[in-house]
Amino acid sequence: MSFDIAVMQIFNGVSLFTILLLMSIGLAIVFGLMGVINMAHGELMALGAYMTYVAAKMFERFAPGWMDIYLFVAIPFAFLVTFAVGYLLERCFIRFFYNRPLDTLLATWGLSLMLQQAYRTIFGAQEVSVPLPQWLAGAWEPVVGIQLPLTRIFIVGLTALVAAGVYVLLYQTRWGLKVRAVMQNRQIAGAVGIDTHRVDSLTLALGSGLAGIAGCVFTMIGSTNPGTGQLYIVDSFIVVVFGGVQSLVGTALSGFAIAQSQTWLEFLMSGSMAKATILVLVIVVLYFRPNGLFSTRSRI
């Protein structure tokens, strides 16, 4: 294998890792904090993709001269819409299923089917795509033979900014301290005056907003349809469980390992065989470490 092919394969793995990370961080926070198995998380990603499509259409109609910057409006727009939807879902639906994980799984799975049907009704069953700004067209060629798409470079940079923002929010702010306190011991956190229900609502909303950003990113590399969210939801759950439910660092590291492994295995064999091989490896690892590779130690 030549050096340029190896570099491009590694970069493709990093690109897949960025989407898995954006999806998995939200799942890891919600699952670790509330124990909620949110099967509708993929549909929130699809919602973010559709909001990006709506933003692009609005710019095409009312401000065609500003199409080169529409992404900088679409990204926060997708985040805010999915944040609000996630907040409403927690307040009006998911909170009634706490401490009932199997019921939560079935309820959110039914919710995902309802959201998919809503997307078909509103946007149609056909795939939709968004135009790329001119400055994202083409590729960067650092050396002869190695071409890195500008869209992928932008996605990597955006993911790095989002991950840094989540880290600062969780580890450098008062609200993040409350989230980590509730995640470690809900009863004690409530006893010292933390409003655990409000923390739950805002945390699920944050996870939903991150899924919306993942959906916005997805529009840069593929078309969107009502079943788009199902493409990544299983992989995202595997990343969270493999890394350790309550470990954000473990989620990031396992996401990178799985993305790189999948990219290289798809290069060497078919896509279905690559996914099956990764699943077998994850099962073997979880057999010996059922709490994940980077599980958080606790006295409970």
Side-chain angles (χ1 to χ4, degrees):
M1 180 185 297
S2 61
F3 174 75
D4 55 341
I5 293 179
V7 171
M8 293 178 68
Q9 282 297 117
I10 293 173
F11 186 74
N12 289 336
V14 172
S15 301
L16 176 60
F17 161 66
T18 56
I19 298 179
L20 287 180
L21 181 62
L22 288 174
M23 284 285 289
S24 302
I25 285 180
L27 275 177
I29 294 173
V30 172
F31 195 17
L33 180 70
M34 297 178 285
V36 171
I37 305 174
N38 185 10
M39 295 299 294
H41 197 74
E43 278 57 51
L44 293 171
M45 171 187 168
L47 178 61
Y50 277 119
M51 291 303 100
T52 306
Y53 172 74
V54 170
K57 288 300 181 182
M58 295 295 288
F59 268 81
E60 283 183 347
R61 181 172 182 179
F62 298 107
W66 296 86
M67 281 300 296
D68 280 346
I69 64 169
Y70 88 90
L71 273 178
F72 297 102
V73 176
I75 292 171
F77 178 61
F79 174 80
L80 291 175
V81 171
T82 50
F83 182 95
V85 170
Y87 185 84
L88 291 176
L89 287 177
E90 197 284 332
R91 300 290 290 185
C92 304
F93 183 74
I94 293 179
R95 66 166 42 199
F96 299 106
F97 298 95
Y98 288 159
N99 300 319
R100 296 155 58 188
L102 292 180
D103 290 347
T104 303
L105 187 150
L106 291 174
T108 54
W109 177 64
L111 177 63
S112 72
L113 297 179
M114 294 171 62
L115 290 175
Q116 289 180 41
Q117 187 58 45
Y119 299 153
R120 290 188 182 93
T121 302
I122 298 172
F123 299 101
Q126 71 279 5
E127 293 187 343
V128 298
S129 58
V130 300
L132 281 177
Q134 290 295 325
W135 52 275
L136 284 179
W140 176 50
E141 191 171 359
V143 296
V144 177
I146 298 178
Q147 293 185 341
L148 307 179
L150 295 179
T151 53
R152 304 276 182 162
I153 296 175
F154 178 79
I155 291 171
V156 171
L158 174 63
T159 303
L161 288 176
V162 172
V166 171
Y167 176 83
V168 171
L169 184 64
L170 291 179
Y171 292 95
Q172 304 295 328
T173 65
R174 185 176 181 84
W175 181 80
L177 181 63
K178 293 180 180 180
V179 171
R180 288 183 287 120
V182 175
M183 185 179 294
Q184 292 178 14
N185 195 314
R186 176 177 295 271
Q187 289 75 21
I188 296 298
V192 298
I194 296 176
D195 188 347
T196 57
H197 293 300
R198 180 174 174 81
V199 170
D200 289 341
S201 299
L202 292 177
T203 302
L204 184 62
L206 174 63
S208 302
L210 294 174
I213 296 178
C216 186
V217 165
F218 178 81
T219 61
M220 303 180 201
I221 60 176
S223 301
T224 305
N225 61 66
T228 292
Q230 299 303 308
L231 297 176
Y232 289 97
I233 185 64
V234 175
D235 291 340
S236 300
F237 271 112
I238 291 175
V239 168
V240 172
V241 175
F242 185 64
V245 172
Q246 294 184 342
S247 174
L248 296 183
V249 175
T251 297
L253 294 177
S254 67
F256 182 80
I258 290 175
Q260 288 292 338
S261 300
Q262 181 171 324
T263 301
W264 283 100
L265 288 173
E266 287 179 353
F267 178 76
L268 299 173
M269 59 184 72
S270 64
S272 58
M273 285 299 298
K275 284 186 174 294
T277 303
I278 290 174
L279 183 59
V280 170
L281 292 175
V282 169
I283 291 173
V284 171
V285 172
L286 291 179
Y287 177 80
F288 293 101
R289 294 185 63 87
N291 292 327
L293 289 179
F294 304 93
S295 58
T296 302
R297 295 184 179 276
S298 173
R299 295 184 179 182
I300 300 177

